[in-house]
Amino acid sequence: MLETYPKKLSERLSEDYERQQALFSAQPAIVQRYLETQGKQIAQAVVDGDPQINFSLPDRVICTLENVDQPALVTIPQNQRTRSAGSFINRFRKTELYKELRHAFIELEQSPDRAVSVAAGLLRHATVMHMVSHMLPAGRTVCYTPAEEDESIPFIPEDDGLEPESAITAATDAIAEEGNGESGRGNLLVPFVPYARKFFLPQWVAFGEHGEMLVKSVDEANAHIKSMQRFMEVLFLAVALAPYISIDEEYAKKRYGMLGQLVNQGRALAIYQVKEIINRIKQRAEAGSLNRGLRLSLPYFDDQDLKLAISHFEVIPSGRIMFVPGFVVRAVRQEEVKVSQDTRYSSSTRKHLLYLLDLLEKAFEAANL
C-alpha cells in the first residue's frame, strides 16, 4: 500500500543512519578496521582539499542476498575493489573533491553487485564517522540562548550556576604548558577565565563577556575564528557526503556547541574592530588628516556564511573637505536605511550590522574632537 504522506525528512535520515550503523556493526572486526583505515584516508583528503583520492573496497562484506534467508559473507573480486575520485586537473578547475567523491559513492551504491553496493555504503559511513568523531576535538556540554526571540541561532552561553569560578574541574578547563613548571612537578596548568568555560571549546574563546580581548592580539583572535570555521567546515563536508550523519548524537552536539561559539565570537570580533575604527577616526580627526575624504570598511559577522564580511560606504567624498563628525552621522544613517531594506541579509545579520552602525552613529553624535 502506498503511503498517503511522505515520511518526514528526519525519519528517513534516522532510518538511513540506523541501517548503516547496523550494517557496519555486523561486519567482522577485520573488515571494520579496514573500512576505518580507508575512511580515515578519504576523510583527510577531502578536508585537505586534495584534487584526487584513490581508495579500495574491502575484500569481503556481510550482506543480504536475494533468495537467501540469512546475511552472508560475500567476496568482492579484486578488479572491482580499487577505485578513485577526482583528478589532478581539478586543482586548476577548482572542483571540490567531496562532490566528485559523493558522485563516486552514489555510482558504486547503485551497482548491481550487492557486495559492491554495500561496501561502498559502508565506506561512506566510515568516512563521515571519522570526520565527526576523530577529526574534531571533543568539547564541553553547553547550552546557549538567543540574544532576542527572533534570533535563529542561539549564541549566548547560559550560566547554570554550577560552574566554579576558579577551580580546574576538567581536562578541557586548562591548557598544559610544557617546560614552565618546576623540576619534578609536571606541566603547568593555566585555567581559562570563567566566561570561556561556558563555551564548547574554551581554548578558542578570544573575547570576554563584555567584549574585552582575552588573547594577545587581533591576529590571534582571527586565528581562533578561523579554527572554528574550519571545525564547521568539516561538519559541512560530512553532511555533504552523507546527510544522515546529521542524526548522529555527537554530530549534533559538536555542531550546536561550535555554531553558537562561532557566532558569539565572530560578532564580538566585529564589535571590537568597529570600536577600533571609531578610535582611529577620532585620532586622525584630531591630527587633521581626514580632510581629503573618508571611506569606511565596516566589518560584520554574517551568520549565514559564518564569516566576517565587509560593508563599504563613503563618509566624505575625495577632495579638500574639512572633517566634521556630523558627516559620519549622516553617512551612517543613510547606510542604515540601505541595510534595513537589503534582503540579502538574514534577519539576525541585519540586526547585528545595524547595531554596529548604531555604535558608529552614537560615537560621533556627541563627539568632541
Side-chain angles (χ1 to χ4, degrees):
M1 180 179 177
L2 294 176
E3 292 182 344
T4 306
Y5 299 102
K7 292 182 179 179
K8 292 182 179 179
L9 176 61
S10 60
E11 292 178 355
R12 295 200 302 271
L13 293 176
S14 293
E15 289 178 359
D16 291 343
Y17 176 76
E18 291 169 4
R19 180 173 62 253
Q20 290 299 333
Q21 281 282 71
L23 261 176
F24 188 87
S25 299
Q27 303 305 312
I30 190 171
V31 174
Q32 291 185 19
R33 300 295 84 77
Y34 184 87
L35 289 167
E36 289 170 352
T37 301
Q38 288 291 303
K40 178 180 179 180
Q41 174 188 339
I42 295 171
Q44 195 64 55
V46 170
V47 171
D48 290 345
D50 291 352
Q52 184 181 31
I53 178 66
N54 297 314
F55 59 92
S56 62
L57 303 177
D59 59 356
R60 58 191 182 275
V61 292
I62 290 179
C63 60
T64 56
L65 299 173
E66 290 186 15
N67 303 321
V68 178
D69 294 335
Q70 297 295 327
L73 187 62
V74 183
T75 300
I76 300 176
Q78 179 62 38
N79 62 355
Q80 295 189 48
R81 292 180 57 202
T82 303
R83 304 286 176 169
S84 67
S87 68
F88 285 105
I89 299 177
N90 288 346
R91 187 181 298 275
F92 307 101
R93 292 178 177 174
K94 304 297 183 182
T95 303
E96 294 172 289
L97 179 60
Y98 81 89
K99 295 179 181 178
E100 302 269 0
L101 183 63
R102 182 173 57 196
H103 180 71
F105 278 143
I106 290 174
E107 283 191 336
L108 288 170
E109 289 172 4
Q110 293 175 347
S111 170
D113 188 315
R114 177 62 178 164
V116 170
S117 174
V118 169
L122 289 170
L123 187 53
R124 184 204 294 250
H125 185 71
T127 299
V128 296
M129 289 300 293
H130 178 79
M131 294 171 77
V132 171
S133 301
H134 302 292
M135 297 191 77
L136 301 173
R140 302 166 63 85
T141 299
V142 294
C143 184
Y144 302 121
T145 57
E148 297 181 20
E149 290 185 0
D150 58 348
E151 285 274 4
S152 58
I153 301 175
F155 63 92
I156 305 297
E158 281 192 348
D159 186 359
D160 56 12
L162 300 177
E163 184 68 39
E165 289 297 313
S166 59
I168 299 175
T169 58
T172 53
D173 289 345
I175 300 174
E177 293 189 351
E178 298 182 359
N180 294 328
E182 296 179 13
S183 177
R185 298 192 64 181
N187 295 333
L188 174 65
L189 295 181
V190 182
F192 299 108
V193 299
Y195 181 70
R197 296 200 299 269
K198 296 178 182 179
F199 287 93
F200 185 69
L201 289 178
Q203 62 266 39
W204 289 344
V205 174
F207 295 93
E209 186 172 7
H210 305 292
E212 69 278 14
M213 187 181 289
L214 303 177
V215 292
K216 297 178 181 178
S217 66
V218 173
D219 287 342
E220 189 174 347
N222 272 310
H224 286 345
I225 295 295
K226 289 180 180 178
S227 295
M228 289 185 274
Q229 289 170 328
R230 179 75 165 176
F231 189 107
M232 294 300 298
E233 177 68 13
V234 173
L235 293 178
F236 164 79
L237 291 170
V239 170
L241 285 176
Y244 64 74
I245 196 63
S246 60
I247 299 299
D248 181 72
E249 185 176 334
E250 187 167 0
Y251 170 91
K253 176 184 176 181
K254 288 183 174 180
R255 183 183 183 278
Y256 175 84
M258 186 49 63
L259 180 59
Q261 180 171 336
L262 175 54
V263 172
N264 182 291
Q265 292 294 292
R267 290 190 179 185
L269 175 58
I271 293 171
Y272 183 88
Q273 290 180 328
V274 168
K275 290 180 178 178
E276 289 289 293
I277 289 173
I278 292 171
N279 291 332
R280 286 200 298 271
I281 292 174
K282 291 182 177 181
Q283 290 170 3
R284 290 186 60 188
E286 290 177 355
S289 61
L290 288 178
N291 297 331
R292 292 182 177 272
L294 176 62
R295 184 175 178 81
L296 290 182
S297 297
L298 195 72
Y300 66 95
F301 189 79
D302 189 324
D303 60 18
Q304 297 299 301
D305 293 335
L306 297 180
K307 65 180 183 181
L308 282 173
I310 303 294
S311 176
H312 302 280
F313 60 96
E314 189 175 66
V315 176
I316 304 174
S318 299
R320 293 184 176 275
I321 303 175
M322 182 177 178
F323 176 82
V324 176
F327 288 159
V328 178
V329 175
R330 183 185 63 181
V332 166
R333 288 175 179 172
Q334 291 174 347
E335 188 65 17
E336 286 174 339
V337 173
K338 295 178 184 178
V339 170
S340 63
Q341 297 177 357
D342 196 330
T343 57
R344 292 174 298 177
Y345 301 115
S346 68
S347 175
S348 51
T349 297
R350 183 182 296 107
K351 285 186 177 181
H352 165 60
L353 182 50
L354 288 173
Y355 171 77
L356 297 175
L357 289 167
D358 188 57
L359 286 180
L360 264 177
E361 182 179 347
K362 289 179 178 178
F364 291 96
E365 269 184 332
N368 184 20
L369 301 175

